[in-house]
Amino acid sequence: FRREAQAAANLSHPDIVPVFDWGEDSGTYFIVMEFIDGRALSSILRTAGPMHPDRAAEIGADVAQALAYAHRHGVIHRDVKPGNVLITEDGIVKVTDFGIARAINTEESLTQTGAVMGTATYFSPEQAEGMGVDARSDIYSLGVVLFEMVTGRPPFVGDTPGAVASMHVRENPPTPREINPAVPPDLEAIILKCLAKSPEYRYATGDDLRVDLLRFREGRAVGAVAPPMMSQPTMGTTQAVAYGATQTLHQIAGQETEEPERSRTGLYAVILIVLLAALAVVILFLGQSLG
């Protein structure tokens, strides 16, 4: 807790809620942060519904800028969600709650391998599987937030957090325009790039994402390329390749395990025949001896 509090306290950025102090009282640890006079993005979405694409891109760009700053200083947020994005009365965006952030410039990590922390609705696939996370995991979560801002709902909805986490790993999100046809194609392409299952197909940094969002706001061409199958609720090309490769590896692994089984079966049959023949010879010999 002390390491994480210190890491968050070292972040000084206009779009990040500053941490003033931390301490312990009667066995309970606490963090002292700046009071923000405003509303959480989650509250705004509940009451007002989907946002105008331009405003969603503006907020997304500010959050991406804040995350990029944190990443450059070795801190991964790991719980990017509307509830942790505050909007002041003046419209200024503030990212808060680095309480479960991981300081990547330390030898230790907050959780053991295989542990899962965060909010299932906004998990990256690697978080859901308990794998290591990096800056691109925050990019995925911000993609989920962008999706919700323009459609009014997150891409995956399930009965339990476990079911939602599984969807992040195994299912492909619907395209934003399937839910809200008013979403511009360029903004949809940006969101789908953020939501790529494999981290290597996402934006590498928050700065890269911010640049594309600003391009969209200015009416310029964006760098993101939407998957060719974006009009269908199936996986995109890059995701299909990754999924197909995984399936192929599983099939190959299955073949490698089945082939030895078949060869062992034949070997066992030969050994059994030899043993029966030897037994028959012994019985015949004993029968003649007892003659």
Side-chain angles (χ1 to χ4, degrees), residues 123-126 139-140 143-144 147 155-156 166-176 178 188-203 225-248:
F123 270 163
S124 65
E126 54 270 25
I139 297 296
Y140 182 96
V144 178
F147 188 105
F156 298 114
S166 178
M167 291 177 187
H168 282 294
V169 177
R170 304 180 184 280
E171 298 184 16
N172 293 277
T175 61
E178 292 176 23
E188 179 177 76
I190 292 173
I191 295 173
L192 292 177
K193 183 175 177 69
C194 293
L195 294 178
K197 296 297 181 188
S198 175
E200 64 182 297
Y201 295 118
R202 300 173 202 154
Y203 290 97
V225 178
M229 299 174 63
M230 59 175 287
S231 61
Q232 301 177 7
T234 56
M235 64 189 68
T237 299
T238 54
Q239 297 174 8
V241 170
Y243 180 79
T246 303
Q247 290 297 96
T248 302

Side-chain angles (χ1 to χ4, degrees), residues 211-222:
V211 167
D212 243 6
L213 287 170
L214 293 179
R215 282 177 180 162
F216 164 75
R217 294 197 66 212
E218 295 167 0
R220 295 188 292 149
V222 301

Side-chain angles (χ1 to χ4, degrees), residues 21-244:
D21 198 5
W22 59 271
E24 180 264 340
D25 180 45
S26 302
T28 299
Y29 285 87
F30 61 86
I31 295 179
V32 182
M33 294 183 288
E34 178 187 21
F35 172 74
I36 303 299
D37 187 10
R39 298 174 64 192
L41 178 60
S42 57
S43 174
I44 296 173
L45 291 175
R46 278 197 304 269
T47 57
M51 288 185 167
H52 187 279
D54 188 70
R55 178 55 176 157
E58 181 182 15
I59 294 175
D62 288 343
V63 175
Q65 181 174 240
L67 293 176
Y69 175 85
H71 297 160
R72 286 195 298 272
H73 287 74
V75 177
I76 309 298
H77 193 289
R78 298 204 302 179
D79 195 23
V80 179
K81 60 183 179 181
N84 286 335
V85 177
L86 307 180
I87 312 295
T88 70
E89 295 297 330
D90 298 329
I92 299 174
V93 175
K94 296 277 189 178
V95 180
T96 188
D97 197 3
F98 282 80
I100 65 167
R102 180 168 69 92
I104 60 176
N105 55 355
T106 62
E107 294 181 0
E108 297 179 276
S109 62
L110 181 61
T111 58
Q112 298 279 342
T113 301
V116 176
M117 298 192 72
T119 306
T121 302
Y122 306 94
F123 270 163
S124 65
E126 54 270 25
Q127 277 180 287
E129 292 185 299
M131 301 169 61
V133 300
D134 58 20
R136 296 167 298 181
S137 298
D138 283 349
I139 297 296
Y140 182 96
S141 297
L142 180 50
V144 178
V145 174
L146 283 166
F147 188 105
E148 186 171 355
M149 279 195 285
V150 297
T151 65
R153 49 149 284 189
F156 298 114
V157 179
D159 295 331
T160 64
V164 176
S166 178
M167 291 177 187
H168 282 294
V169 177
R170 304 180 184 280
E171 298 184 16
N172 293 277
T175 61
R177 299 179 72 194
E178 292 176 23
I179 302 172
N180 181 7
V183 177
D186 281 352
L187 183 56
E188 179 177 76
I190 292 173
I191 295 173
L192 292 177
K193 183 175 177 69
C194 293
L195 294 178
K197 296 297 181 188
S198 175
E200 64 182 297
Y201 295 118
R202 300 173 202 154
Y203 290 97
T205 67
D207 287 327
D208 293 340
L209 171 57
R210 179 174 181 270
V211 167
D212 243 6
L213 287 170
L214 293 179
R215 282 177 180 162
F216 164 75
R217 294 197 66 212
E218 295 167 0
R220 295 188 292 149
V222 301
V225 178
M229 299 174 63
M230 59 175 287
S231 61
Q232 301 177 7
T234 56
M235 64 189 68
T237 299
T238 54
Q239 297 174 8
V241 170
Y243 180 79

